[in-house]
Amino acid sequence: MSVTAWRAILLTLCLGAAVLNATTLITDSIQASSALGFQVSRTADPAVVRVDAVDSGGAASASGLRAGDLIKVRDLAPGDRYRLLIGVYPHERLTFAVIRDGEAVPIHYVSGEKPPWRWDTLLWSFASFWMLAFAAIIGWRRADLPEARVLCALLATYVASAALLPGTWLGPSPSADMVTAAIGWGLNWVWVPLLATYASTVARPTSKFRRALAALAYATAAGLGVFGIVRLITLWNGSLPWVAQGVGPEWNMTYGAVPYVLAAACGWAALASARGEERSRIAWIIAPLMVFYAAEAMVYVVPALLPSEQHGSALVAAYGFANFGAVLAPLGMTYALFNRRVLDIGFALNRVAIFSGVSIVLVGTFMLFEWALGSWLQQASHTTSLIVGAVVALLLGFSIRFVHDRVEHVLDRVFFRKRHDDEEAIRRFAREAAFVTDPLVLSERAIDVLERHADATFARLALSDGNGTYAGVSENDPVIVSLRTWHRRLDLHGVNTQFEGEFAYPMVSRGRLVGALLLGPKRSHESYAPDESDAIEDLAHHVGGVLDVLGHSVPSDESILTELKEMHRTMTDGFSSLRSELERS
């Protein structure tokens, strides 16, 4: 499949997940399932559930429901049964009977108000869109890399599944909700083993142990996906009513954590198999995912370790862990993206991040002033209010440059240090070049600096040999003509030239072109950033001037370099012979 097709698929997946997530948040469905006001657990009879706890002062308590009541869920209509065990809308009405002290007691249940948003749920909402933005950028910029495609799919599928899981998506039709919940449950066990897939794309080749571990992660996730869908179906037909996630806080609920543990183990195995720079690169992605997976597994572990009467509070704590972990994942990967250049797409976001930071600071400051002066301005005249508002706006307007510089400085320090360190290394060598006295050493160091700090696949010096050619290429080549005329870097794409590479930089001394610095594409397939390219051009000018002063042309062509080494050796031997003759005389 082409890169364009992969990019379209990934961006469509991100867009679909964003629409589902936004719909869930706008309709408050994610909170509506908490309006039940009571918790249940299963009993020895699969047709009966027990009410373990009833929220004091809640809708369930007002409807007459009491802790210890037994509900014969099989006697309920499929839609009522699904709503009662999964989630209801605020003010929804259900009629059913409970067994209390051996007698049937009718309950006319009216669900309560939608509870207020919890801080961890708000945090998760923010993190979910952060994940989708992160995934979309990866899908847009790095659709050519298999590991990037897997990472994008993992993040987008997680958000989509979270928006469709049982109790999260509530629509007007219980039957449609059940189908949606089955899809969400299936997607949930699709994204979980994708960490194992990501681990298999790095630290290659994969060992038999790693392949077996990944296969086990896939198998357990597939098994739980099928099992969960079957439980939903049996809930609907009444044969197995204890299917709601979190119902039955027995120890065996921890089975849900198994795929998370296995997927994390695949990540650890990949990290252990990686070496050198690759280990550092994948560690910055796998480490935050480890924390994320561990937090998600707590949803299954925490309720299983506590007694049934603490089931409600245990679930709140477990989801708090999960929601907090959902923030750490994009936070850690964003740091890796910017500061460690894991996928080398940080520069594409640099200007966006700075613009967003400046906007947040200015708009936030203006709102803060408005709030602080609000009470005073209410008592002031309309003219005074306009004057104060204009003064504040002017002050913020004149401070844009200062705010921009400070925001850029902070972002560079926090997120873009690696890129600026590389740029500084290139500029530092450009200044050091004037103190190198050996042309061969200067050329080799220049090539090494560019390949390490510019991430170039290759760097070559095509210097003039004094006979009208540059590393064997005629001075009438379009690249040489352009560099001699304009003394500016040239993009080699679309230029009919004998030179290979992506950019050519002029090496100018005393107003004439002494050579061309040729750079191949980046190993990461990224474009050269403008400030990075300026630093490379600066290096080319300095190195060209030094080589011109030294009087040597040192093309990077291997044959010519060999000749230069031979010349250096001959000169050294000559000086040694001269010294010997002088000593004898």
Side-chain angles (χ1 to χ4, degrees):
M1 190 180 295
S2 66
V3 174
T4 303
W6 274 117
R7 183 178 292 111
I9 291 172
L10 295 174
L11 292 180
T12 301
L13 178 61
C14 293
L15 178 61
V19 171
L20 288 175
N21 195 41
T23 303
T24 302
L25 296 175
I26 291 172
T27 59
D28 287 341
S29 294
I30 197 170
Q31 291 290 97
S33 61
S34 300
L36 279 170
F38 66 97
Q39 295 83 42
V40 299
S41 64
R42 67 189 188 190
T43 64
D45 184 352
V48 177
V49 295
R50 176 185 293 106
V51 177
D52 283 329
V54 178
D55 296 347
S56 177
S61 177
S63 301
L65 204 61
R66 300 291 181 265
D69 288 348
L70 301 177
I71 304 175
K72 290 186 175 182
V73 291
R74 186 172 291 170
D75 294 340
L76 299 174
D80 290 346
R81 183 164 47 241
Y82 182 85
R83 283 281 193 255
L84 193 64
L85 295 182
I86 299 299
V88 294
Y89 277 122
H91 308 297
E92 191 166 7
R93 297 176 180 273
L94 297 174
T95 300
F96 55 92
V98 300
I99 305 299
R100 183 182 300 163
D101 298 328
E103 296 182 1
V105 179
I107 298 293
H108 301 284
Y109 173 80
V110 180
S111 61
E113 298 285 347
K114 179 183 72 65
W117 286 87
R118 299 197 315 266
W119 69 269
D120 60 295
T121 307
L122 290 172
L123 197 64
W124 181 89
S125 302
F126 168 73
S128 63
F129 285 106
W130 189 357
M131 281 188 182
L132 289 176
F134 191 92
I137 292 170
I138 295 174
W140 169 47
R141 298 288 295 178
R142 304 305 308 150
D144 55 317
L145 295 179
E147 61 267 31
R149 294 196 292 264
V150 173
L151 189 60
C152 174
L154 187 157
L155 297 175
T157 309
Y158 163 74
V159 177
S161 68
L164 299 176
L165 280 174
T168 301
W169 181 283
L170 295 175
S173 169
S175 59
D177 287 353
M178 198 275 292
V179 174
T180 303
I183 295 173
W185 189 256
L187 287 176
N188 183 74
W189 297 113
V190 168
W191 75 262
V192 171
L194 283 179
L195 178 56
T197 306
Y198 176 82
S200 67
T201 62
V202 297
R204 304 295 294 258
T206 56
S207 63
K208 291 183 179 180
F209 171 75
R210 289 176 59 193
R211 290 196 295 269
L213 198 59
L216 194 58
Y218 300 145
T220 55
L224 283 175
V226 172
F227 181 55
I229 293 173
V230 170
R231 294 178 75 185
L232 283 173
I233 294 173
T234 54
L235 165 69
W236 187 261
N237 62 31
S239 60
L240 193 63
W242 41 269
V243 302
Q245 181 181 347
V247 174
E250 292 83 0
W251 65 269
N252 59 6
M253 271 192 64
T254 55
Y255 60 76
V258 172
Y260 295 95
V261 173
L262 290 174
C266 290
W268 279 116
L271 191 59
S273 301
R275 294 291 183 271
E277 183 179 349
E278 186 185 25
R279 170 176 287 187
S280 175
R281 178 175 62 85
I282 66 176
W284 285 101
I285 289 294
I286 289 180
L289 286 177
M290 294 287 190
V291 177
F292 174 45
Y293 273 58
E296 288 291 322
M298 297 299 285
V299 174
Y300 297 90
V301 175
V302 172
L305 300 178
L306 297 176
S308 58
E309 57 270 16
Q310 300 180 22
H311 183 215
S313 58
L315 273 181
V316 171
Y319 279 110
F321 279 118
N323 293 337
F324 186 69
V327 177
L328 294 180
L331 176 64
M333 288 186 288
T334 300
Y335 176 82
L337 176 76
F338 287 138
N339 196 36
R340 309 304 300 183
R341 299 180 72 174
V342 170
L343 294 173
D344 205 15
I345 62 177
F347 184 78
L349 300 179
N350 178 271
R351 298 300 104 184
V352 176
I354 292 174
F355 174 78
S356 301
V358 171
S359 300
I360 290 172
V361 171
L362 292 179
V363 174
T365 303
F366 185 79
M367 293 177 64
L368 183 62
F369 269 100
E370 286 286 302
W371 173 79
L373 298 175
S375 58
W376 178 69
L377 291 176
Q378 287 179 359
Q379 308 298 326
S381 64
H382 180 67
T383 303
T384 303
S385 299
L386 288 177
I387 293 174
V388 172
V391 170
V392 171
L394 285 173
L395 290 175
L396 292 176
F398 283 116
S399 66
I400 286 179
R401 184 62 188 175
F402 172 77
V403 173
H404 181 280
D405 291 342
R406 298 309 303 169
V407 169
E408 184 174 16
H409 176 74
V410 171
L411 289 176
D412 284 343
R413 285 291 182 184
V414 177
F415 294 119
F416 300 97
R417 177 172 296 180
K418 177 68 166 59
R419 182 170 63 83
H420 284 281
D421 287 347
D422 287 335
E423 179 189 339
E424 179 60 28
I426 294 172
R427 293 190 184 278
R428 185 169 56 251
F429 177 76
R431 300 300 184 273
E432 294 173 353
F435 299 93
V436 180
T437 58
D438 188 320
L440 179 61
V441 172
L442 178 61
S443 301
E444 290 177 344
R445 285 191 59 191
I447 292 172
D448 177 67
V449 166
L450 292 172
E451 289 181 349
R452 284 193 298 114
H453 294 286
D455 196 33
T457 52
F458 66 82
R460 295 172 184 166
L461 303 181
L463 302 184
S464 173
D465 60 2
N467 297 318
T469 61
Y470 292 77
V473 176
S474 170
E475 62 184 3
N476 294 315
D477 186 275
V479 170
I480 299 300
V481 172
S482 178
L483 295 180
R484 291 173 63 187
T485 303
W486 304 108
H487 291 180
R488 296 175 184 171
R489 60 177 175 268
L490 179 65
D491 188 343
L492 299 185
H493 291 103
V495 179
N496 185 18
T497 178
Q498 296 183 44
F499 290 115
E500 295 180 353
E502 188 157 333
F503 280 95
Y505 295 85
M507 304 176 69
V508 179
S509 178
R510 293 179 291 181
R512 65 185 184 89
L513 185 72
V514 299
L517 170 60
L518 305 172
L519 282 188
K522 283 178 172 287
R523 296 184 185 90
S524 61
H525 307 290
E526 277 289 301
S527 300
Y528 289 95
D531 52 350
E532 180 183 35
S533 194
D534 289 341
I536 296 171
E537 189 168 10
D538 188 35
L539 181 147
H541 278 293
H542 282 81
V543 172
V546 174
L547 289 176
D548 183 50
V549 170
L550 294 176
H552 291 280
S553 297
V554 191
S556 60
D557 186 85
E558 290 186 2
S559 61
I560 301 179
L561 282 175
T562 302
E563 293 178 6
L564 184 60
K565 291 178 181 179
E566 185 63 31
M567 182 186 302
H568 183 270
R569 188 181 302 109
T570 302
M571 292 175 62
T572 302
D573 294 342
F575 280 121
S576 298
S577 299
L578 179 61
R579 178 182 296 176
S580 299
E581 292 179 4
L582 290 174
E583 290 176 351
R584 286 196 298 269
S585 62

